[in-house]
Amino acid sequence: MNRMKRMIAGLLLVLPVAGCANDIAGTPQGAAAPAPYVYKLGPDDRVRITVYNEPNLSGEYSVNSEGEISFPLVGMMKAQGLTLGEFSDALTKQLDAHYFKDPHLVVDMVSTRPVYVLGEVNKAGQYPYQSGMTVLAAVATAGGFTYRANQKIVMIRHGGAAAEQREPLTADLIVQPGDTIRVRERHF
């Protein structure tokens, strides 16, 4: 019984410190933590739109190269740069204004733009994007670093950007859909 009381007392001493882990780990107290990445639709994304009681309208739709989805009755709807919720709201408004009284629909992601991993990795290529994916996870998906890889710096070109950006390779460096990651060769 005495041993159990000591263990509980030890845990009570550690818990307040655990709550400060973010402050100790590098985020200054009072500073905002980095905002999580919010997925925005873009060309080559595929979504499933389900309209309640309207099976002829429900189905899978692709975002075209101009960033639009062709939807029956409505025509071309802007999708690029919108979250799934924003696109769903816009489509609901269009259907409500012209065709249905209080339509109910759900928009789900079917497939996203891929991530490209090039350079000093074992299996360079195109890989599916996953929510919260980091550069290290993308490299691991590509078979890991080769023995010549520079594991301190990585080059990233975000989808739609004209040029690559040089980034220090950290454990929390986030990948966005459509990114091209190039691992350079290290110099001895």
Side-chain angles (χ1 to χ4, degrees):
M1 188 67 162
N2 241 355
R3 183 175 176 199
M4 180 75 99
K5 287 181 182 178
R6 279 186 276 157
M7 285 177 49
I8 292 173
L11 282 174
L12 292 176
L13 290 174
V14 172
L15 286 176
V17 174
C20 300
N22 285 343
D23 295 334
I24 295 169
T27 304
Q29 192 163 1
Y37 177 73
V38 176
Y39 192 86
K40 306 254 181 181
L41 293 169
D44 298 327
D45 283 339
R46 287 190 60 77
V47 296
R48 178 179 301 110
I49 302 173
T50 307
V51 182
Y52 182 69
N53 278 341
E54 294 297 331
N56 293 334
L57 296 178
S58 300
E60 290 186 10
Y61 298 89
S62 293
V63 180
N64 68 17
S65 61
E66 296 172 359
E68 298 176 326
I69 291 177
S70 177
F71 193 78
L73 300 177
V74 175
M76 301 306 280
M77 288 277 309
K78 178 186 181 268
Q80 185 167 352
L82 300 177
T83 65
L84 288 175
E86 291 167 341
F87 178 75
S88 177
D89 291 345
L91 183 56
T92 300
K93 286 178 187 172
Q94 284 292 319
L95 291 173
D96 187 41
H98 301 290
Y99 303 102
F100 300 104
K101 177 91 170 118
D102 194 26
H104 295 283
L105 59 96
V106 175
V107 180
D108 292 315
M109 199 63 155
V110 174
S111 65
T112 61
R113 299 180 299 281
V115 173
Y116 304 93
V117 185
L118 309 171
E120 295 298 323
V121 293
N122 288 311
K123 291 185 249 171
Q126 167 183 315
Y127 295 95
Y129 171 79
Q130 296 174 3
S131 181
M133 183 180 247
T134 64
V135 170
L136 289 176
V139 168
T141 303
F145 294 109
T146 65
Y147 71 93
R148 294 184 303 263
N150 180 345
Q151 296 183 29
K152 295 182 181 179
I153 301 292
V154 67
M155 304 298 289
I156 298 178
R157 185 176 63 81
H158 296 295
E164 293 179 316
Q165 295 178 333
R166 183 180 175 172
E167 298 281 346
L169 186 57
T170 60
D172 59 349
L173 183 57
I174 297 292
V175 174
Q176 297 174 7
D179 280 1
T180 301
I181 301 162
R182 187 168 58 89
V183 177
R184 298 171 51 181
E185 186 175 341
R186 66 183 151 97
H187 299 286
F188 295 94

